[in-house]
Amino acid sequence: MSAIHFPGITFNEADGQILLVSQPVQGRAAMDAATLHQLLVQEGYGDCRLDAEAIASAAEMCNVQQEPFGIQLAQRLDAEYQVHTSSDGMTATLSIIPPVGGKPAAPEQALQALTLAGVVFGIDQTAVSQACQKGSCSHVIVARGIHAQDGADAVFEDLVPHTVNREPTLDENGLIDYRERGAIETVQPGDALMRRTPATAGIDGHSVKGGVVKAQPGKDRHFAAGLSGAEVSSDDPCVLVAAVSGQPVRVDCGVTVEPVVRFKEVNMATGNIHFDGNVHVTGEVVQGMKVVASGDIVVDGMVDSGMLEAGGNIQVAGGVIGRSALRAGGSVTVRFAEGVKIHAGTVIAIKDMALECELDSLNQIIVGAGSRQKGRLIGGVATATMLVRVSTLGSDKAGATKVVLGVNRALEEQYAALLKRIDEEKAQETRLEQLIKQLKVADPKGILERARASWQQAVLVWGKSLKEREALEKELEATRAARLEVAVGTAGAVELSLCKLTARLRREFDRGVFALDAGGDLVFTGTDGTPQLLARLA
């Protein structure tokens, strides 16, 4: 294509702007937009950003304008850099808009754009270079901050492998994890009990703009004050050691050492035992004798018509017979029981058989803890909040065996007392509210503000009790998940009460589970998975 020449038409470039300068020339050929566009391309401005509207206007002006004039027709644009910083200041991204007739992207200019945006930390030079090589990109991460590393909380590590934990925890089914602990383990003065690893301060981080991101220090805790039978080591303030001989017991932020007293036998010669600590009887507890301990009681032999009362756990390696009575704040473990009363704050575990006993546990009763095929519960009453697990339930050669589930008398009494308290608190709040209304009309003694303060306090107290009621109702609702598990089957007459439903079983059932279904009916579900209706709410 031959070159086009228009006298008086020239182009100037200044700061990337392309200007047409027109001098009037007599007899010059008419100009149109297409021709002017071609002139721009001919002069080397074709790759610039052309303004079509300005070109059309300039072409017309060249034909009619009798005076010199200049007008911008195009612009040369260098690569454009856009920097975005995340809301948390931990990343910066680079977007590159390619040039239009201008300079291509270059790392030096990209870095300058980052600096102008305030990004000065954690810049990835390689990422910047690669983005510039592409010439066009969108939101490429080119800088990363360093996140703060929060400190770790203080940790307490048991150094005695068989430390007793008197704070049982519930699993997702509301059951306490029962584990036989064996004999009382003891420590001697100076034995290491627990190591405390202090909380750490954490490591501060940095944003891409150079700001410091403060780390959250860990929660520090120290050994609890007044730990009985234990003290902080003189060699290491982070180690707790035994100060006396006895049984280590895990408590919050520490370990206590409970004294242990041992007897070969509890009989008329020893008299009744009352001890603030743990009692270990290597022989038997004979008729009419009593052992009361604030900690655990371990009997290697039998208990015959005796009474044991422990603040912790009770473990009897032999049997419990002859109208004995056992009561423990924790668990009770015996080999077999006949004609006795047993109450446990957590779990009753009977290895072989329970015959005509009164068993009461605030969580679960397990008969057959030694072998699920041998455990038999015959006659008597077994009451548990969440679970009764037995191999064989009842006998056709004995009277009726009664099982009561989903009952927590202590919780129910607490709930009833709470409801009464809530009614009283609401009544008090209502009285104060009425008093305030009266005082707004007439307050000769100036007690309105005090009445308002009392009313606000009454509202707070009432609200706190309502939250307590909600928590208790959740605990009571959890008892609906209570169940009776039978590993072998039932025999003879069995009376089962679960929550408000009662079923009198007069036929044998094989292995299965007795529980409430989703609709609240009492059903038995055997190995085939088909529920059989036993009782329904009226």
Side-chain angles (χ1 to χ4, degrees):
M1 182 181 293
S2 59
I4 303 173
H5 298 284
F6 267 77
I9 300 296
T10 59
F11 296 99
N12 292 333
E13 181 177 349
D15 296 329
Q17 297 180 347
I18 314 302
L19 303 175
L20 175 147
V21 178
S22 175
Q23 299 288 342
V25 175
Q26 198 70 23
R28 185 173 61 191
M31 177 71 74
D32 58 30
T35 303
L36 185 52
H37 183 279
Q38 189 175 351
L39 276 173
L40 284 166
V41 174
Q42 179 179 294
E43 294 297 320
Y45 302 122
D47 58 351
C48 297
R49 177 177 292 174
L50 304 182
D51 187 338
E53 185 176 342
I55 291 173
S57 177
E60 184 177 350
M61 291 173 64
C62 286
N63 295 328
V64 300
Q65 190 76 19
Q66 299 300 317
E67 300 292 334
F69 70 89
I71 184 173
Q72 181 179 340
L73 301 182
Q75 187 172 7
R76 191 184 300 279
L77 300 175
D78 294 340
E80 183 180 343
Y81 309 91
Q82 296 178 349
V83 179
H84 297 277
T85 305
S86 62
S87 58
D88 62 359
M90 299 310 292
T91 58
T93 61
L94 175 66
S95 298
I96 298 178
I97 300 174
V100 182
K103 296 177 182 178
E108 295 79 8
Q109 281 67 44
L111 292 172
Q112 185 178 3
L114 288 171
T115 301
L116 292 174
V119 178
V120 296
F121 181 85
I123 296 174
D124 186 341
Q125 300 277 358
T126 301
V128 172
S129 297
Q130 290 175 348
C132 291
Q133 288 176 3
K134 290 181 180 180
S136 174
C137 63
S138 177
H139 296 292
V140 175
I141 296 178
V142 293
R144 296 181 185 273
I146 297 178
H147 287 277
Q149 298 180 28
D150 291 340
D153 294 344
V155 176
F156 294 91
E157 175 192 1
D158 288 326
L159 300 180
V160 180
H162 300 293
T163 300
V164 175
N165 188 350
R166 292 257 173 80
E167 298 179 352
T169 55
L170 300 178
D171 63 15
E172 65 277 6
N173 298 315
L175 299 177
I176 291 171
D177 181 17
Y178 163 73
R179 295 178 184 175
E180 185 179 345
R181 293 184 173 86
I184 294 178
E185 298 290 339
T186 60
V187 293
Q188 302 302 318
D191 287 350
L193 303 174
M194 175 176 281
R195 181 181 301 280
R196 168 183 168 269
T197 301
T200 58
I203 302 174
D204 291 341
H206 293 276
S207 71
V208 294
K209 292 189 175 182
V212 176
V213 181
K214 299 296 291 183
Q216 183 70 27
K219 182 180 178 181
D220 203 11
R221 296 191 299 170
H222 297 272
F223 289 124
L227 293 171
S228 176
E231 61 187 8
V232 176
S233 171
S234 59
D235 298 327
D236 187 343
C238 289
V239 173
L240 192 69
V241 299
V244 298
S245 60
Q247 180 186 29
V249 177
R250 179 75 147 87
V251 295
D252 187 36
C253 296
V255 177
T256 62
V257 180
E258 296 181 348
V260 178
V261 63
R262 287 181 168 81
F263 298 90
K264 290 184 178 180
E265 187 174 88
V266 177
N267 50 32
M268 293 297 293
T270 62
N272 293 329
I273 307 299
H274 296 266
F275 187 65
D276 186 12
N278 303 303
V279 175
H280 187 179
V281 181
T282 57
E284 298 183 355
V285 177
V286 303
Q287 293 182 6
M289 304 309 298
K290 179 187 295 187
V291 179
V292 180
S294 61
D296 297 339
I297 298 174
V298 175
V299 179
D300 293 344
M302 293 182 60
V303 177
D304 183 359
S305 301
M307 196 204 87
L308 308 183
E309 184 173 338
N313 305 316
I314 293 176
Q315 180 173 319
V316 181
V320 182
I321 60 175
R323 294 180 296 177
S324 294
L326 279 61
R327 186 175 191 88
S331 64
V332 175
T333 304
V334 303
R335 182 178 177 185
F336 65 89
E338 180 179 356
V340 302
K341 295 181 179 180
I342 301 177
H343 172 85
T346 57
V347 180
I348 296 175
I350 300 174
K351 293 185 177 182
D352 292 334
M353 181 179 68
L355 176 63
E356 298 294 344
C357 297
E358 292 184 27
L359 309 177
D360 183 15
S361 172
L362 294 183
N363 191 262
Q364 57 190 300
I365 296 172
I366 302 172
V367 182
S371 171
R372 296 188 66 179
Q373 299 300 315
K374 294 182 179 180
R376 297 183 68 94
L377 176 61
I378 301 174
V381 181
T383 303
T385 303
M386 296 303 300
L387 171 70
V388 171
R389 178 183 295 152
V390 60
S391 296
T392 302
L393 178 64
S395 172
D396 55 10
K397 298 180 181 179
T401 303
K402 186 174 182 179
V403 176
V404 180
L405 281 160
V407 175
N408 189 326
R409 296 185 183 89
L411 199 62
E412 290 170 353
E413 291 174 0
Q414 183 181 350
Y415 183 68
L418 176 62
L419 292 180
K420 182 179 179 181
R421 192 178 81 211
I422 287 175
D423 289 340
E424 294 171 351
E425 292 169 353
K426 177 58 179 175
Q428 174 69 3
E429 183 269 339
T430 301
R431 286 193 295 269
L432 288 170
E433 187 177 24
Q434 292 173 348
L435 176 61
I436 290 171
K437 290 180 180 178
Q438 295 171 2
L439 292 174
K440 285 181 178 179
V441 178
D443 184 19
K445 297 183 179 180
I447 61 174
L448 176 59
E449 290 306 314
R450 280 184 292 169
R452 280 177 173 164
S454 297
W455 174 76
Q456 291 173 349
Q457 180 62 28
V459 170
L460 290 175
V461 171
W462 180 49
K464 184 178 179 181
S465 295
L466 290 178
K467 290 183 178 179
E468 186 178 345
R469 182 186 68 182
E470 182 180 351
L472 280 177
E473 286 175 346
K474 287 182 179 179
E475 289 188 59
L476 289 169
E477 179 65 21
T479 61
R480 290 177 54 82
R483 63 190 188 274
L484 166 63
E485 297 180 1
V486 180
V488 176
T490 69
V494 174
E495 181 176 317
L496 171 61
S497 295
L498 203 162
C499 294
K500 297 180 180 181
L501 295 177
T502 299
R504 292 175 175 81
L505 311 181
R506 294 299 181 264
R507 67 179 180 86
E508 294 186 355
F509 289 81
D510 293 330
R511 177 180 178 180
V513 176
F514 298 84
L516 298 182
D517 64 8
D521 296 332
L522 177 56
V523 299
F524 169 76
T525 305
T527 55
D528 61 357
T530 303
Q532 302 176 39
L533 179 64
L534 301 177
R536 173 172 288 166
L537 282 174

